[in-house]
Amino acid sequence: MKRLALLFTLAVTVFTCVSVHAQITPAQMADEWQRAKTYTKAYLDAMPDDGYSFKPTAEMRTFAGQMLHLADANYYFLSAVSGKPSPLGKTSAEKTIEQTKAATTKAVMDSYDFVIGCVQGMTAAQMQENMKFAGKDLSKALILSKAFEHQTHHRGQTVAYLRLKGVTPPPEMLF
């Protein structure tokens, strides 16, 4: 019986340690968003001024539109998770910000600052809280990972825009 109790205690301890290790902390998440901000800024800097209105096809967003959509989503996801109101209110950056290099860059960088500030203001326990989002019961940490995935997706789409304008995209900034 003692062996079984010891084995059970050991199994619970290992499971707990692995579970705790697998969770990203707010500080780590903020660092990842800071890296994403730097990486996105490199894309914004790489596109020439005249490329901000560029659309590869009529159905696609402009380069600026892609980046401003990314900013809108950053505000949307983080407002939901943090409970802090978006500085944009109910307006859309994509629909209201002038699609110039300077205005787009400022709007996108401001959205990352909002994200980073919200994440830094969270505790690990808050990140594990569940909430209703997109009709599902999800942890805030999972919603944050979806927000990260979204900004990565739209930044990645702009690789084609840069290439079509004859610009080499910035090198990967994975770490």
Side-chain angles (χ1 to χ4, degrees):
M1 187 65 165
K2 284 183 178 181
R3 275 189 167 170
L4 186 56
L6 180 62
L7 184 59
F8 177 75
T9 302
L10 181 61
V12 168
T13 301
V14 168
F15 176 77
T16 302
C17 290
V18 168
S19 295
V20 169
H21 180 70
Q23 295 173 0
I24 189 167
T25 68
Q28 290 168 321
M29 174 105 26
D31 287 348
E32 288 301 302
W33 278 97
Q34 181 60 54
R35 179 183 55 80
K37 176 185 176 184
T38 301
Y39 195 24
T40 302
K41 178 77 164 58
Y43 273 71
L44 290 161
D45 290 344
M47 180 59 87
D49 290 4
D50 68 346
Y52 273 71
S53 60
F54 174 66
K55 288 176 136 186
T57 68
E59 303 85 22
M60 296 174 75
R61 288 179 166 104
T62 62
F63 177 84
Q66 285 283 2
M67 291 297 190
L68 292 169
H69 173 75
L70 177 158
D72 281 336
N74 283 352
Y75 286 121
Y76 172 73
F77 280 102
L78 271 293
S79 289
V81 168
S82 70
K84 294 180 180 181
S86 166
L88 296 180
K90 296 199 182 280
T91 63
S92 162
E94 187 176 0
K95 293 180 177 148
T96 60
I97 301 294
E98 186 180 3
Q99 294 195 3
T100 64
K101 185 169 189 159
T104 299
T105 299
K106 180 178 180 347
V108 173
M109 294 298 99
D110 288 350
S111 80
Y112 278 100
D113 291 340
F114 180 74
V115 169
I116 293 163
C118 288
V119 170
Q120 287 173 333
M122 295 179 75
T123 65
Q126 287 171 323
M127 286 178 60
Q128 297 311 310
E129 292 172 358
N130 280 6
M131 63 178 282
K132 282 284 187 202
F133 189 83
K136 300 179 186 313
D137 193 31
L138 303 171
S139 73
K140 291 180 178 182
L142 181 57
I143 297 166
L144 288 168
S145 74
K146 296 299 181 186
F148 198 88
E149 181 179 346
H150 182 270
Q151 62 87 36
T152 301
H153 169 75
H154 284 280
R155 182 182 56 234
Q157 285 188 346
T158 65
V159 168
Y161 292 67
L162 290 168
R163 292 277 186 201
L164 288 168
K165 291 299 277 179
V167 177
T168 301
E172 179 65 54
M173 293 182 192
L174 194 55
F175 296 99

